[in-house]
Amino acid sequence: MTLQTLVASNNTSLIQPGFSLFRFGRHVFFFGQKGWPKRSCPTGVFLVDLKNNELKLRPTTFNKESCYLPPLRHPAVTGLSESSDGEVIQYLIHGGKTPNNEVSQKLYVISVASSVNKKITLCCTEKDLVGDTPEARYGHSINVLHSRGKKAVLIFGGRSYVPLNQRTTEKWNSVVDCQPFIYLIDLQFGCSTMHTVKEIQDGVSFHASIARNDTVYIIGGHLLENNVRSPKIYKIHVDLLLGSPAITCNILESRLSFSSSIVTSTCPDEFFIVGGYESDSQKKMTSHKVFLSNDDIEFKEVEAPDWTGEIRHSKTWFGADMGHGTVLLVIPGDNKNQHSDSNFFFYLVSHGEEDNLMAQSCSQGSLEDQEDSMPLEDSEEFMFNTDVLISDEDTYNEDDEEDESQTGYWIKCCSDCDLDINTWVPFYSTELNKPAMIYCSSEGGHWVHAQCMDLSENMLINLSENNVKYFCNEHIKLERGLQTPKKMTAVLKPSIKRVGRKPSISRMSPAKRSFLRRLFE
């Protein structure tokens, strides 16, 4: 196992706990940025570009058939492969938290739509689920099982907010571990079923999960109710029979108890567990190799790399699986590094050769609710230099730099849109080589050009910084029509004095005055 230090240069505010990495062939994509997608990348998914010892996150395009994919933190992610070589052709993304700390319950499918001139276009679709759909959650696991020539998706664990009817003012945003139910989803029809297993009495979060054929191993995890990390391993076997599937579970005892670890693989039966926490104040500094056989799982501690001083003394760390036995590890910095304005230290942990195959695995390499109350900022494109990185000559093509004809910036955003790739020039001082865009919050949502909406630069910056809802010219009237008119207090009109006439003075007769004096004496 080797450790490589990545030297950051600038614009790394995009990185935060809970991000994910996708790998299609030799291409790695970054997902889960800190704030809502920046105008330069409205999809929120970036291509990890390696060239000349420099790593950049380049905006990624989606085809027209794609749905909108919000930047999600701590989602459950797994790869789906249909060939013997184990190459991932699709990624399943379920749940996660939005930058507004709302929890998602949607299931997205990401695949490669096309690859032309070394530029990859992705496709994202939302899978409609029916039946016993899993509630919104994050920090859970998702795995693909194969049994009797069929496949199913298994979702387990996670954390969610306390139900509305149980919330109090003091604990409005409190979270709890989800119920220990197992959800099986048929990808073909989107049918979801919920199953109760008597051996599983607790719902765990931020655990590691590994799938092989028709069996899923749930390893470790954190129990919020009593603040412990489970030493148990749940071996869940699923038999996809006609009608109702048969689920059995065996509990295996383990000497390991950890949470928030990252799982990576070098071959279908060999996995590595890196990072995580053994307690609230103790990081998991050891790494373990996991061997899977037909009916057994075996752990073996491997020699850890020579951790740097920053890693040893940091209280927190997080990262994600890059595939092929490689993990991107991130350590919060102290901003004292004079050679970098980055808030983090970046490392690459490698367990095998670059050409090794990656099997299906799922992990939650994240901090556990460390950033819930942190203010969320607009994302920035992030790039940093590297000392030693795997070169990929097919990742970047300098000739494609100016080819923006297929990106989402050159869309017809409204009936009066006249922006053209051949005639567009920067309109705002904040623009470089792409027109500024802003997200309309109408039903379904869509992106529009700020210039077409006649937005001043001050207004555009104000809307971006405050993260408020915005409605374009075509939907603002509809939005106003849905709002209840505010109650207006009646304006009191001052009385008009007559000009030229003295006010009449009522005079009291002497008898009446004498009567009132006697009455009150």
Side-chain angles (χ1 to χ4, degrees):
M1 186 165 59
T2 60
L3 178 70
Q4 301 175 13
T5 302
L6 311 180
V7 181
S9 58
N10 55 8
N11 296 331
T12 54
S13 60
L14 181 67
I15 292 290
Q16 65 155 12
F19 72 91
S20 306
L21 296 174
F22 309 141
R23 186 179 191 117
F24 292 106
R26 299 176 64 87
H27 301 280
V28 178
F29 295 88
F30 174 91
F31 170 68
Q33 59 184 11
K34 189 169 186 178
W36 288 107
K38 190 183 176 183
R39 292 185 299 271
S40 63
C41 186
T43 63
V45 178
F46 293 81
L47 172 67
V48 178
D49 182 16
L50 303 177
K51 184 182 180 183
N52 296 332
N53 290 335
E54 188 177 28
L55 189 151
K56 298 180 181 179
L57 294 188
R58 303 177 58 79
T60 303
T61 59
F62 283 72
N63 61 6
K64 296 181 179 179
E65 290 75 23
S66 297
C67 67
Y68 174 69
L69 177 67
L72 298 170
R73 301 168 293 152
H74 317 292
V77 179
T78 189
L80 176 63
S81 60
E82 293 185 350
S83 58
S84 58
D85 58 4
E87 286 295 333
V88 177
I89 60 172
Q90 288 181 336
Y91 275 94
L92 306 179
I93 307 171
H94 181 268
K97 298 176 69 174
T98 69
N100 289 339
N101 279 334
E102 297 174 350
V103 185
S104 171
Q105 63 179 359
K106 296 182 178 180
L107 176 63
Y108 297 97
V109 181
I110 288 188
S111 58
V112 176
S114 64
S115 179
V116 180
N117 294 331
K118 301 179 183 179
K119 297 187 68 173
I120 291 183
T121 301
L122 299 179
C123 177
C124 177
T125 58
E126 180 183 343
K127 189 68 176 179
D128 294 327
L129 302 180
V130 295
D132 304 323
T133 58
E135 64 177 313
R137 60 188 67 200
Y138 66 98
H140 55 301
S141 62
I142 180 172
N143 296 92
V144 179
L145 296 169
H146 299 268
S147 172
R148 299 179 182 268
K150 297 180 290 185
K151 61 176 176 284
V153 174
L154 187 147
I155 293 178
F156 175 76
R159 193 166 289 173
S160 185
Y161 288 116
V162 175
L164 288 175
N165 57 358
Q166 300 179 17
R167 295 188 186 183
T168 61
T169 304
E170 293 78 11
K171 298 181 179 180
W172 186 255
N173 287 328
S174 296
V175 294
V176 293
D177 288 326
C178 296
Q179 293 296 319
F181 301 139
I182 292 177
Y183 292 89
L184 290 179
I185 299 175
D186 185 337
L187 279 180
Q188 182 178 1
F189 302 101
C191 182
S192 175
T193 56
M194 181 182 68
H195 304 270
T196 303
V197 179
K198 63 180 181 179
E199 289 82 3
I200 305 178
Q201 298 296 325
D202 301 304
V204 293
S205 310
F206 299 102
H207 52 274
S209 66
I210 300 176
R212 185 181 188 274
N213 297 331
D214 55 4
T215 304
V216 173
Y217 294 90
I218 304 296
I219 309 170
H222 183 258
L223 284 77
L224 190 63
E225 184 177 359
N226 48 14
N227 190 27
V228 299
R229 284 158 178 83
S230 173
K232 298 178 180 178
I233 300 176
Y234 296 113
K235 180 183 178 182
I236 303 173
H237 179 268
V238 179
D239 193 358
L240 298 178
L241 301 172
L242 290 177
S244 178
I247 301 178
T248 58
C249 178
N250 294 327
I251 299 179
L252 309 177
E253 294 297 332
S254 170
R255 295 180 291 103
L256 302 176
S257 59
F258 57 85
S259 63
S260 298
S261 291
I262 309 166
V263 175
T264 186
S265 175
T266 54
C267 66
D269 297 329
E270 187 177 277
F271 300 84
F272 289 89
I273 298 179
V274 185
Y277 302 90
E278 295 180 348
S279 67
D280 291 343
S281 58
Q282 178 62 44
K283 301 195 305 294
K284 181 180 179 295
M285 304 299 294
T286 57
S287 298
H288 287 83
K289 192 174 186 179
V290 183
F291 300 92
L292 295 184
S293 60
N294 291 332
D295 198 38
D296 191 21
I297 181 171
E298 180 183 353
F299 294 87
K300 178 183 178 182
E301 184 174 337
V302 296
E303 183 179 357
D306 186 12
W307 300 119
T308 64
E310 290 82 6
I311 295 179
R312 293 183 179 278
H313 296 99
S314 67
K315 294 182 179 179
T316 59
W317 57 355
F318 57 96
D321 175 26
M322 295 186 69
H324 294 190
T326 305
V327 169
L328 177 63
L329 202 61
V330 188
I331 305 295
D334 54 6
N335 292 329
K336 295 181 181 179
N337 188 354
Q338 298 180 356
H339 301 287
S340 171
D341 60 355
S342 170
N343 294 326
F344 303 101
F345 298 100
F346 300 91
Y347 302 91
L348 210 61
V349 182
S350 302
H351 299 83
E353 299 296 330
E354 169 65 11
D355 294 332
N356 285 342
L357 298 179
M358 181 182 70
Q360 295 176 10
S361 65
C362 174
S363 64
Q364 294 78 35
S366 57
L367 290 175
E368 298 164 2
D369 300 328
Q370 295 285 336
E371 78 294 353
D372 283 352
S373 60
M374 295 173 57
L376 299 173
E377 308 167 357
D378 284 343
S379 65
E380 298 288 342
E381 279 190 79
F382 112 84
M383 59 186 66
F384 49 84
N385 297 324
T386 61
D387 290 335
V388 181
L389 279 178
I390 304 166
S391 63
D392 187 350
E393 297 299 330
D394 295 335
T395 305
Y396 179 76
N397 187 353
E398 201 73 40
D399 297 335
D400 296 335
E401 178 68 27
E402 301 300 328
D403 182 15
E404 301 285 351
S405 59
Q406 301 299 323
T407 64
Y409 306 104
W410 310 109
I411 62 174
K412 188 171 182 62
C413 69
C414 63
S415 57
D416 299 330
C417 177
D418 57 356
L419 285 181
D420 186 359
I421 182 176
N422 298 316
T423 60
W424 179 83
V425 293
F427 182 77
Y428 302 96
S429 63
T430 55
E431 292 176 330
L432 296 176
N433 60 347
K434 302 179 179 69
M437 301 184 75
I438 189 167
Y439 190 72
C440 175
S441 299
S442 60
E443 183 178 358
H446 64 100
W447 290 90
V448 292
H449 299 120
Q451 183 177 349
C452 294
M453 298 297 111
D454 295 326
L455 291 179
S456 65
E457 185 162 8
N458 290 336
M459 178 60 69
L460 178 62
I461 295 175
N462 180 67
L463 292 173
S464 300
E465 290 179 348
N466 296 326
N467 196 23
V468 297
K469 285 190 175 181
Y470 169 79
F471 295 91
C472 69
N473 299 339
E474 296 180 356
H475 293 104
I476 186 63
K477 293 182 180 179
L478 174 62
E479 174 64 18
R480 287 175 177 171
L482 296 176
Q483 294 177 351
T484 304
K486 297 180 180 179
K487 278 191 174 183
M488 304 295 293
T489 56
V491 180
L492 297 178
K493 296 182 179 180
S495 58
I496 302 176
K497 297 182 178 180
R498 295 184 179 182
V499 181
R501 294 184 60 181
K502 294 182 179 181
S504 59
I505 302 176
S506 59
R507 299 184 180 277
M508 193 178 297
S509 63
K512 189 174 183 180
R513 193 163 44 244
S514 176
F515 170 77
L516 291 176
R517 188 183 299 114
R518 291 195 305 272
L519 181 64
F520 292 99
E521 286 178 352

